[in-house]
């Protein structure tokens, strides 16, 4: 019989659905109890979902969340589970003295035991960079919470607390902590996982304690929480890694802080980066659809790589029967493109239809006397109008198929190919779109399945097909060069001089900067999509539209 | 001969246009010198424009701004103006020890004298609420800057420093400050002006010093800086108020901190709220157009009140010759609406054309078999497509005519009436649109001008005219009730229970909450527009799209 059986619970809450999230937490606690656990730890804000943004400034919301926690403590006690310590994240009101104008709440971890809230920790380090605005809406806490359960000393901290120096986390050792419980709402970014692991290992070493790092899982607007919770012992040995991109519940038997056994099978590794990115995109899309009460998606199938990858992601996320592809050929569409669009849909047995645009375009062209760029944009907008009309008529969510590179340089038609509520490839640069397409085909092959993406969609030169013989490279640098310049400018904030110094052509760099800056108004009106890099467009990168800086 | 002549300089910088802004500052200093000034004070970030958002995280930008300030100090010295103390706002690099990941810069006020930067103050209180994210990108300063010039002791602080308690501002008195120089980038909000005045008067009283409050003027994306700089003496007597919504340069002759004379005519009052709101909207629109290198705007004229007010604002901002109105009647458009649209355009002699939509709508309806809501949205989208096509063809900025109430409840068609780069009425609720229309007509009448807005556009029941005999009140509560509920929910963050407690019908309140919450995705893709209230949609109110909270 172990000293204590601890359950790490990786749940997928829905922001604002307090009663639904608490119901899930109750199911998990009951299951953990059946499996002999005496403690269950959940992620940051598991009660409300995360991030709650300005909901944190609504008093009714914070009070509802606090009340739900108190009621939940009573409920589990009434169910005979009061002996189980439950540690979970939720917001709570700060005292009137602590509150400032917009920041009225604390980001808390509470300990429930015997029907009561027996302890509460408030997050000290409030992230206020990248997609996070916590200094805007939360008051900072200053006290470490340490408590004993079954003779073991636990301390709680929350997410950003372990990413910064100083604060309550520095007292873990002096508080003689056996196990640090770290509640997290940490979104996926390519390669971020190893940073987390290192932070947790360092913490265990520095403070001579075991550490349970429990993350949320699931998509919330533009963020994808990937789970991947971990436990290390006080020797900083990683013991277990929870599933990535799935809910999970894992038990560890605790003898002492350097003698911890994982119950049942477990793993310490995870698949490669392409697998991770693909699954992040699938989960982000699935949860946006599900949590916003859609059942199906509609998108234009051009025969090109972007729409092929989007449709495949959607089929993986929702089932091909919930994907509605529309081919919208014009007089400039090649037979190859039309064939590729049909081929794509047939490979997965998606819903598919053809709506030729010529009869819809022509009346505009002649009434408004459109030619040149205006006529090119017209075609894209007629396609957008078709998709939105079918979305309205049939109830599908419209997907926008543009990628990060296009979004960066504004290579799109506003209210044309940009229409839709969700953009699966928003943070996926063009070169990575190709890589993912190839990877997904190989993955299918390795499982004996039909490759979902037509090879010619991968291999042909990309084209918007808005005029005869057009290819993207008529107006843009080659995509490998373009993506390298964008990486330096957008992700790494380098200057023109810096990038020219790397060996790129000066005129080309200047042109790319101008394109990026002039497209800011388009990005402001763009659909949200899942962040997978360290610098996504949207809340992650906030620049003025009116901006004459060129450097 | 006074002890010192001080110039308060209210400039309209363009974000990122460092060389252009410095050129303006130079002109102002030269003019002030010609008029005998020995000191000139500019607003917050006058060198770079404000707010610079994540430009503050670009090292090249901060270094360019700092270099520009140093060069400017040399330039005015070379021009024989080195005896003039110039105080101006700009960003500067923080030390490596002070920097955190995203916050590498300080928000500074520098003193230039004799060709050198002789002193520098860094803003202490960084606003991180409402539209401001300064904690994200700036490092906080902690030291008051006090310096003598012509025997008078000046201290500098910046904007938010006087809105919060504590920090360097509390040392104004102990530093024996004669004049507090307060550099501001304070955007217009209805009624905010009196708060500023009170803060400045309180500061003067508390620290026994005179105070010069210098604000920026001009539109920057969704903010309108209204100028309205003020000077008070150490008895807290307001001496002068600079122009609102215009650049201005005012001189005061300083004998002692309670003996200050204003040079030339001056005023202490300003016009009524409707005048202020109207002028804020005009300036916001004019500067968005001008600073983004447009010359003209295009908008749909429905005959309704919103498009009438937008067109009139545009004519006031840009001249009627730069306003292109398009009437786009359908089979559901009443003769009255068509007449009102033409009447509106003729009253100001705007450019006007008619593009009937029937021949463009019909092919979509029949090819896609659209009816009901999908067919209503189709009409709005065909109109949007017409406007964007003409914008592409002729180079106008497209204006979106929707008001705050519509935006709140999602009473609009995405990619239809929502198309455009700028939404003049984005923060103007429907009831205020009517009020402004009446005010603008009265204003014209009082000046002996033709009333710009047709009376029937003001008086008829509002209708989207997307089906026979439709009026807005078929699907929405009466606008006075709706606006009252929205004020409580959106602006004041009240709960359903709170608002029902005020006496509103429970079912109606619930319906309004649902409409507001379900329209979040539309607002995310909406055009920017000028903030005029304490809670504008956009950066001011940040809520998740995926959000099931109902309370």
């Amino acid at each position: 019989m172990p000293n204590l059986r601890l359950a790490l619970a990786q749940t997928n809450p829905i922001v604002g659905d307090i009663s639904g999230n608490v119901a899930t937490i109750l199911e998990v606690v009951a299951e953990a109890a059946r499996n002999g656990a005496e403690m269950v730890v959940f992620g940051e804000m598991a009660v409300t979902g995360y991030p709650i943004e300005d909901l944190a400034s609504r008093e009714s919301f914070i009070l509802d969340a606090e009340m739900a926690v108190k009621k939940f403590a009573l409920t589990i006690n009434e169910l005979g589970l009061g002996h189980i310590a439950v540690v979970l994240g939720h917001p709570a009101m700060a005292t009137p003295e602590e509150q400032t104008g917009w920041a009225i709440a604390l980001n808390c971890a509470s300990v429930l035991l015997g029907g009561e809230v027996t302890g509460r920790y408030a997050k000290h380090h409030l992230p206020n960079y990248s997609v996070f605005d916590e200094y805007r809406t939360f008051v900072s806490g200053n006290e470490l919470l340490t408590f004993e359960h079954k003779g073991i000393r636990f301390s709680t901290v929350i997410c950003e607390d372990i990413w910064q120096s100083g604060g309550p986390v520095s007292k873990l050792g002096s508080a003689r902590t056996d196990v640090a419980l770290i509640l997290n709402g940490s979104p996926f970014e390519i390669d971020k996982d190893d940073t987390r692991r290192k932070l947790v290992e360092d913490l265990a070493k520095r403070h001579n304690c075991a550490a349970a790092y429990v993350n949320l899982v699931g998509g919330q607007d533009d963020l994808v929480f990937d789970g991947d919770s971990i436990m290390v012992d006080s020797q900083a040995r990683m013991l277990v890694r929870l599933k990535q991109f799935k809910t999970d519940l894992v038990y560890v038997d605790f003898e002492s802080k350097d003698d911890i056994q994982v119950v049942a099978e477990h793993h310490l590794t995870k698949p490669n980066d392409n697998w991770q990115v693909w699954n992040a995109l699938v989960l982000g899309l699935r949860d946006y659809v599900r949590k916003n009460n859609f059942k199906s998606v509609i998108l234009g199938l051009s025969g090109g790589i972007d729409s092929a990858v989007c449709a495949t992601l959607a089929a993986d996320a929702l089932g091909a029967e919930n994907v509605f592809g529309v081919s919208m050929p014009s007089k400039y569409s090649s037979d190859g493109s039309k064939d590729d669009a049909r081929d794509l849909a047939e490979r997965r047995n998606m819903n598919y239809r053809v709506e030729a645009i010529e009869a819809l375009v022509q009346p505009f062209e002649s009434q408004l006397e459109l030619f040149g760029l205006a006529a090119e944009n017209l075609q894209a907008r007629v396609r957008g109008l078709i998709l939105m009309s079918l979305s309205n008529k049939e109830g599908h969510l419209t997907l926008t198929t543009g990628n990060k590179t296009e979004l960066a340089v504004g290579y799109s038609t506003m209210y044309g190919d940009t229409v839709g509520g969700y953009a699966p490839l928003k943070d996926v640069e063009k070169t990575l779109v190709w890589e993912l397409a190839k990877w997904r085909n190989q993955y299918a092959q390795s499982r004996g399945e039909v490759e979902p993406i037509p090879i010619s969609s991968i291999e042909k030169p990309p084209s918007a097909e808005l005029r005869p013989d057009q290819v993207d490279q008529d107006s843009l640098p080659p995509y490998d060069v373009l993506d390298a310049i964008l990486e330096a400018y957008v992700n790494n904030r380098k200057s023109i001089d810096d990038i020219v110094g790397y060996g790129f052509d000066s005129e080309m760099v200047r042109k790319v900067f101008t394109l990026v800056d002039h497209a800011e108004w388009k990005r402001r009106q763009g659909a949200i999509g899942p962040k997978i890099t360290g610098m996504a467009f949207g809340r992650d990168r906030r620049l003025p539209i009116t901006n004459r800086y060129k450097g």
Side-chain angles (χ1 to χ4, degrees), chain A residues 130-189:
Chain A
S130 179
V131 297
F132 297 108
D133 290 308
E134 292 205 5
Y135 191 79
R136 170 183 173 92
T137 50
F138 285 114
V139 172
S140 178
N142 283 304
E143 300 294 329
L144 188 68
L145 172 70
T146 302
F147 64 98
E148 282 201 16
H149 184 53
K150 305 281 170 185
I152 303 163
R153 288 179 68 80
F154 295 90
S155 296
T156 51
V157 292
I158 300 178
C159 206
E160 187 75 4
D161 288 329
I162 70 163
W163 291 73
Q164 308 293 335
S165 59
V169 73
S170 60
K171 297 173 190 155
L172 282 175
S174 58
R176 292 177 293 111
T177 302
D178 293 313
V179 188
L181 305 175
I182 311 162
L183 285 69
N184 303 275
S186 179
F188 175 75
E189 285 173 21

Coordinates of all heavy atoms in Angstrom, one line a residue, chain A residues 130-189:
Chain A
S130 N 3.0 38.3 -25.4 CA 2.5 37.3 -26.4 C 1.0 37.4 -26.4 O 0.4 38.5 -26.5 CB 3.0 35.9 -26.1 OG 2.5 34.9 -27.0
V131 N 0.3 36.3 -26.3 CA -1.2 36.3 -26.3 C -1.8 36.6 -25.0 O -3.0 36.7 -24.8 CB -1.8 35.0 -26.8 CG1 -1.3 34.7 -28.2 CG2 -1.3 33.8 -25.9
F132 N -1.0 36.8 -23.9 CA -1.5 36.9 -22.6 C -1.6 38.4 -22.1 O -0.7 39.2 -22.4 CB -0.6 36.1 -21.6 CG -0.6 34.7 -21.9 CD1 0.5 34.1 -22.4 CD2 -1.7 33.9 -21.6 CE1 0.6 32.7 -22.7 CE2 -1.7 32.5 -21.9 CZ -0.6 31.9 -22.4
D133 N -2.7 38.7 -21.4 CA -2.9 40.0 -20.9 C -3.3 39.9 -19.4 O -4.2 40.6 -19.0 CB -4.1 40.7 -21.6 CG -3.8 41.0 -23.1 OD1 -2.7 41.7 -23.3 OD2 -4.5 40.7 -24.0
E134 N -2.6 39.1 -18.7 CA -3.1 38.9 -17.3 C -2.9 40.0 -16.3 O -3.6 40.1 -15.3 CB -2.5 37.6 -16.7 CG -3.0 36.4 -17.5 CD -3.0 35.1 -16.7 OE1 -2.6 35.1 -15.5 OE2 -3.3 34.1 -17.3
Y135 N -2.0 40.9 -16.6 CA -1.8 42.0 -15.7 C -2.9 43.0 -15.9 O -3.2 43.7 -15.0 CB -0.5 42.7 -16.1 CG 0.0 43.7 -15.2 CD1 0.7 43.4 -14.0 CD2 -0.2 45.1 -15.4 CE1 1.2 44.3 -13.1 CE2 0.3 46.1 -14.6 CZ 0.9 45.7 -13.4 OH 1.4 46.6 -12.5
R136 N -3.6 42.9 -17.1 CA -4.8 43.7 -17.3 C -6.0 43.3 -16.4 O -6.7 44.2 -15.9 CB -5.2 43.4 -18.8 CG -6.5 44.0 -19.3 CD -6.7 43.5 -20.7 NE -8.0 43.9 -21.2 CZ -8.3 45.0 -21.9 NH1 -7.4 45.9 -22.1 NH2 -9.5 45.2 -22.4
T137 N -6.1 42.0 -16.1 CA -7.4 41.6 -15.5 C -7.2 40.9 -14.1 O -8.2 40.6 -13.5 CB -8.2 40.7 -16.4 OG1 -7.3 39.7 -16.9 CG2 -8.8 41.4 -17.6
F138 N -5.9 40.6 -13.8 CA -5.7 39.9 -12.5 C -4.9 40.6 -11.5 O -4.0 41.4 -11.9 CB -5.1 38.5 -12.8 CG -6.0 37.5 -13.3 CD1 -5.8 37.0 -14.6 CD2 -7.1 37.0 -12.6 CE1 -6.7 36.1 -15.2 CE2 -8.0 36.1 -13.1 CZ -7.8 35.6 -14.4
V139 N -5.1 40.4 -10.3 CA -4.3 40.9 -9.2 C -3.3 39.8 -8.8 O -3.6 38.6 -8.9 CB -5.2 41.2 -8.0 CG1 -4.4 41.6 -6.7 CG2 -6.2 42.3 -8.3
S140 N -2.1 40.2 -8.5 CA -1.0 39.3 -8.3 C -1.1 38.8 -6.8 O -1.3 39.6 -5.9 CB 0.3 40.0 -8.6 OG 1.4 39.1 -8.3
G141 N -0.9 37.5 -6.6 CA -0.8 36.9 -5.3 C 0.7 36.9 -4.8 O 1.6 36.9 -5.7
N142 N 0.9 36.7 -3.5 CA 2.3 36.8 -3.1 C 2.7 35.6 -2.1 O 3.9 35.6 -1.7 CB 2.6 38.1 -2.3 CG 2.8 39.2 -3.3 OD1 3.6 39.1 -4.2 ND2 1.9 40.2 -3.3
E143 N 1.8 34.8 -1.7 CA 2.0 33.8 -0.7 C 2.0 32.4 -1.3 O 1.1 32.0 -2.0 CB 1.0 33.9 0.4 CG 0.9 35.2 1.1 CD 2.1 35.5 1.9 OE1 2.8 34.5 2.4 OE2 2.5 36.7 2.0
L144 N 3.1 31.6 -1.0 CA 3.0 30.2 -1.3 C 2.0 29.5 -0.5 O 1.8 29.8 0.7 CB 4.4 29.6 -1.1 CG 4.7 28.2 -1.6 CD1 4.6 28.1 -3.1 CD2 6.0 27.6 -1.1
L145 N 1.3 28.5 -1.1 CA 0.4 27.7 -0.3 C 1.0 26.3 -0.1 O 1.4 25.6 -1.0 CB -1.0 27.5 -1.0 CG -1.9 26.5 -0.3 CD1 -2.4 27.0 1.0 CD2 -3.1 26.1 -1.2
T146 N 1.3 26.0 1.2 CA 1.8 24.6 1.5 C 0.9 23.9 2.4 O 0.4 24.6 3.4 CB 3.2 24.8 2.1 OG1 4.1 25.5 1.2 CG2 3.8 23.4 2.4
F147 N 0.6 22.7 2.1 CA -0.4 21.9 3.0 C 0.1 20.5 3.1 O 0.8 20.0 2.2 CB -1.8 22.1 2.5 CG -2.0 21.5 1.1 CD1 -2.5 20.2 1.0 CD2 -1.7 22.2 0.0 CE1 -2.7 19.6 -0.3 CE2 -1.9 21.6 -1.3 CZ -2.4 20.4 -1.4
E148 N -0.4 19.8 4.1 CA -0.1 18.4 4.3 C -1.3 17.5 4.0 O -2.4 17.9 4.3 CB 0.4 18.1 5.7 CG 1.9 18.5 5.9 CD 2.5 17.8 7.1 OE1 2.0 16.7 7.5 OE2 3.6 18.2 7.5
H149 N -1.0 16.4 3.3 CA -2.1 15.5 3.1 C -1.5 14.1 3.1 O -0.5 13.9 2.5 CB -2.8 15.7 1.7 CG -3.9 14.8 1.4 ND1 -5.0 14.7 2.3 CD2 -4.2 14.0 0.4 CE1 -5.9 13.9 1.7 NE2 -5.4 13.5 0.6
K150 N -2.0 13.3 4.0 CA -1.5 11.9 4.2 C 0.0 12.0 4.6 O 0.8 11.2 4.1 CB -1.7 11.0 3.0 CG -3.1 10.9 2.5 CD -3.9 10.0 3.3 CE -5.4 10.1 3.0 NZ -6.2 9.2 3.9
G151 N 0.4 13.0 5.3 CA 1.8 13.1 5.8 C 2.8 13.6 4.8 O 4.0 13.7 5.0
I152 N 2.3 14.0 3.6 CA 3.2 14.5 2.6 C 2.9 16.0 2.4 O 1.8 16.5 2.5 CB 2.9 13.8 1.2 CG1 3.0 12.3 1.4 CG2 3.8 14.3 0.1 CD1 2.4 11.5 0.3
R153 N 4.0 16.8 2.2 CA 3.9 18.3 2.1 C 3.8 18.7 0.6 O 4.7 18.4 -0.2 CB 5.0 19.0 2.8 CG 5.0 18.8 4.3 CD 6.1 19.5 5.0 NE 6.2 21.0 4.8 CZ 5.4 21.8 5.5 NH1 4.6 21.3 6.5 NH2 5.5 23.1 5.3
F154 N 2.7 19.3 0.3 CA 2.5 19.8 -1.1 C 2.5 21.3 -1.1 O 2.0 22.0 -0.1 CB 1.1 19.4 -1.6 CG 0.9 17.9 -1.7 CD1 0.5 17.1 -0.7 CD2 1.3 17.3 -2.9 CE1 0.3 15.7 -0.8 CE2 1.1 15.9 -3.1 CZ 0.7 15.1 -2.0
S155 N 3.0 21.9 -2.2 CA 2.9 23.3 -2.4 C 2.4 23.6 -3.8 O 2.7 22.8 -4.7 CB 4.3 24.0 -2.3 OG 4.8 23.9 -1.0
T156 N 1.6 24.6 -3.9 CA 1.0 24.9 -5.2 C 1.6 26.2 -5.8 O 1.8 27.2 -5.2 CB -0.6 25.1 -5.1 OG1 -0.8 26.1 -4.1 CG2 -1.3 23.8 -4.8
V157 N 1.8 26.1 -7.1 CA 2.1 27.3 -7.9 C 1.4 27.2 -9.2 O 0.8 26.2 -9.6 CB 3.6 27.5 -8.1 CG1 4.3 27.8 -6.8 CG2 4.2 26.3 -8.8
I158 N 1.3 28.3 -10.0 CA 0.6 28.3 -11.3 C 1.4 28.8 -12.4 O 2.0 29.9 -12.4 CB -0.7 29.2 -11.1 CG1 -1.6 28.6 -10.0 CG2 -1.5 29.2 -12.4 CD1 -2.9 29.5 -9.7
C159 N 1.6 27.9 -13.4 CA 2.1 28.2 -14.7 C 3.2 29.2 -14.8 O 4.4 28.9 -14.6 CB 0.9 28.7 -15.6 SG 1.2 28.3 -17.4
E160 N 2.9 30.5 -15.1 CA 4.0 31.5 -15.3 C 4.9 31.6 -14.1 O 6.0 32.0 -14.2 CB 3.3 32.9 -15.6 CG 4.3 34.0 -16.0 CD 4.8 33.9 -17.4 OE1 4.3 33.0 -18.1 OE2 5.6 34.7 -17.8
D161 N 4.4 31.2 -12.9 CA 5.3 31.3 -11.7 C 6.6 30.5 -11.9 O 7.6 30.9 -11.3 CB 4.5 30.7 -10.5 CG 3.4 31.6 -10.0 OD1 3.5 32.8 -10.1 OD2 2.4 31.1 -9.5
I162 N 6.6 29.5 -12.7 CA 7.8 28.7 -12.9 C 8.6 29.2 -14.1 O 9.7 28.8 -14.3 CB 7.6 27.2 -12.9 CG1 6.9 26.8 -14.2 CG2 6.8 26.7 -11.7 CD1 7.1 25.3 -14.5
W163 N 8.1 30.2 -14.9 CA 8.8 30.7 -16.0 C 9.5 31.9 -15.7 O 10.4 32.4 -16.5 CB 7.8 31.0 -17.2 CG 7.2 29.8 -17.8 CD1 6.2 29.0 -17.2 CD2 7.5 29.2 -19.1 NE1 5.9 28.0 -18.1 CE2 6.6 28.1 -19.2 CE3 8.3 29.5 -20.1 CZ2 6.6 27.3 -20.4 CZ3 8.4 28.7 -21.3 CH2 7.5 27.6 -21.4
Q164 N 9.3 32.5 -14.5 CA 9.9 33.7 -14.1 C 10.7 33.5 -12.8 O 10.5 32.5 -12.2 CB 8.9 34.9 -13.8 CG 7.9 35.1 -15.0 CD 8.6 35.7 -16.2 OE1 9.6 36.3 -16.2 NE2 8.0 35.4 -17.4
S165 N 11.6 34.3 -12.5 CA 12.4 34.1 -11.2 C 11.7 34.9 -10.1 O 11.0 35.9 -10.4 CB 13.8 34.6 -11.4 OG 13.9 36.0 -11.8
G166 N 12.0 34.5 -8.9 CA 11.4 35.2 -7.7 C 10.0 34.8 -7.5 O 9.4 34.0 -8.1
G167 N 9.4 35.4 -6.4 CA 8.0 35.1 -6.1 C 7.9 33.9 -5.2 O 9.0 33.3 -4.8
P168 N 6.7 33.5 -4.9 CA 6.5 32.4 -4.0 C 7.2 31.1 -4.3 O 7.6 30.3 -3.5 CB 5.0 32.2 -4.1 CG 4.4 33.5 -4.4 CD 5.5 34.1 -5.3
V169 N 7.4 30.8 -5.6 CA 8.1 29.6 -6.1 C 9.5 29.5 -5.5 O 9.9 28.3 -5.2 CB 8.1 29.5 -7.6 CG1 9.1 30.4 -8.2 CG2 8.3 28.1 -8.1
S170 N 10.1 30.6 -5.1 CA 11.4 30.5 -4.6 C 11.4 30.0 -3.1 O 12.5 29.6 -2.6 CB 12.1 31.9 -4.6 OG 11.3 32.8 -3.8
K171 N 10.3 29.9 -2.5 CA 10.2 29.3 -1.2 C 9.8 27.9 -1.1 O 9.6 27.3 0.0 CB 9.1 30.2 -0.4 CG 9.5 31.6 -0.3 CD 8.4 32.4 0.4 CE 8.7 33.9 0.2 NZ 7.4 34.7 0.3
L172 N 9.8 27.2 -2.2 CA 9.4 25.8 -2.2 C 10.3 25.0 -1.3 O 9.8 24.1 -0.6 CB 9.5 25.2 -3.7 CG 8.3 25.5 -4.6 CD1 8.7 25.0 -6.0 CD2 7.0 25.0 -4.1
G173 N 11.6 25.2 -1.4 CA 12.5 24.5 -0.6 C 12.4 24.8 0.9 O 12.3 23.9 1.7
S174 N 12.4 26.1 1.2 CA 12.3 26.5 2.7 C 11.0 26.0 3.3 O 10.9 25.8 4.5 CB 12.5 28.0 2.8 OG 11.6 28.7 2.1
A175 N 10.0 25.8 2.4 CA 8.7 25.3 2.9 C 8.7 23.8 3.1 O 7.7 23.2 3.4 CB 7.6 25.7 2.0
R176 N 9.9 23.2 2.8 CA 10.1 21.7 2.9 C 9.0 21.0 2.1 O 8.4 20.0 2.5 CB 10.0 21.3 4.4 CG 11.2 21.8 5.2 CD 11.2 21.4 6.7 NE 10.1 22.0 7.3 CZ 9.0 21.4 7.8 NH1 8.8 20.1 7.7 NH2 8.0 22.1 8.4
T177 N 8.9 21.4 0.9 CA 7.9 20.9 0.0 C 8.4 19.5 -0.5 O 9.5 19.3 -0.9 CB 7.8 21.8 -1.3 OG1 7.4 23.1 -0.9 CG2 6.8 21.2 -2.3
D178 N 7.5 18.5 -0.4 CA 7.8 17.2 -1.0 C 7.4 17.2 -2.5 O 8.1 16.6 -3.3 CB 7.0 16.1 -0.2 CG 7.4 15.9 1.2 OD1 8.7 15.8 1.4 OD2 6.6 15.8 2.1
V179 N 6.2 17.7 -2.8 CA 5.7 17.7 -4.1 C 5.2 19.1 -4.5 O 4.3 19.6 -3.8 CB 4.6 16.7 -4.4 CG1 4.2 16.6 -5.8 CG2 4.9 15.3 -3.8
A180 N 5.8 19.7 -5.5 CA 5.2 20.9 -6.1 C 4.1 20.6 -7.0 O 4.3 19.8 -8.0 CB 6.3 21.7 -6.7
L181 N 2.9 21.2 -6.8 CA 1.8 21.0 -7.8 C 1.8 22.2 -8.7 O 1.5 23.3 -8.2 CB 0.5 20.8 -7.0 CG 0.5 19.7 -6.0 CD1 -0.8 19.7 -5.2 CD2 0.7 18.3 -6.6
I182 N 2.0 22.0 -9.9 CA 2.1 23.2 -10.9 C 0.8 23.1 -11.8 O 0.8 22.2 -12.6 CB 3.4 23.2 -11.7 CG1 4.6 23.0 -10.7 CG2 3.5 24.5 -12.5 CD1 5.8 22.5 -11.5
L183 N -0.1 24.0 -11.6 CA -1.3 24.0 -12.5 C -1.1 24.9 -13.7 O -0.6 26.1 -13.5 CB -2.5 24.6 -11.7 CG -3.1 23.6 -10.6 CD1 -2.2 23.4 -9.5 CD2 -4.5 24.2 -10.1
N184 N -1.3 24.4 -14.9 CA -0.9 25.1 -16.1 C -2.1 25.3 -17.1 O -2.9 24.4 -17.2 CB 0.2 24.4 -16.8 CG 1.4 24.3 -15.8 OD1 2.2 25.2 -15.7 ND2 1.4 23.1 -15.1
G185 N -2.0 26.4 -17.8 CA -2.7 26.6 -19.0 C -1.7 27.1 -20.0 O -1.5 28.2 -20.3
S186 N -1.0 26.1 -20.6 CA 0.2 26.4 -21.4 C -0.1 26.0 -22.8 O -0.1 24.8 -23.1 CB 1.4 25.7 -20.8 OG 2.6 26.0 -21.6
P187 N -0.2 26.9 -23.7 CA -0.6 26.5 -25.1 C 0.6 25.9 -25.9 O 1.7 26.2 -25.6 CB -1.1 27.8 -25.8 CG -0.5 28.9 -24.9 CD -0.2 28.4 -23.6
F188 N 0.2 25.1 -26.9 CA 1.2 24.5 -27.7 C 1.9 25.5 -28.6 O 1.4 26.5 -29.1 CB 0.5 23.5 -28.7 CG 1.4 22.9 -29.7 CD1 2.3 21.9 -29.4 CD2 1.4 23.3 -31.0 CE1 3.2 21.3 -30.3 CE2 2.2 22.8 -32.0 CZ 3.1 21.8 -31.6
E189 N 3.2 25.3 -28.7 CA 4.1 26.0 -29.7 C 5.1 25.0 -30.1 O 5.6 24.2 -29.3 CB 4.8 27.2 -29.1 CG 4.0 28.4 -28.9 CD 4.8 29.5 -28.2 OE1 6.1 29.5 -28.2 OE2 4.2 30.4 -27.6

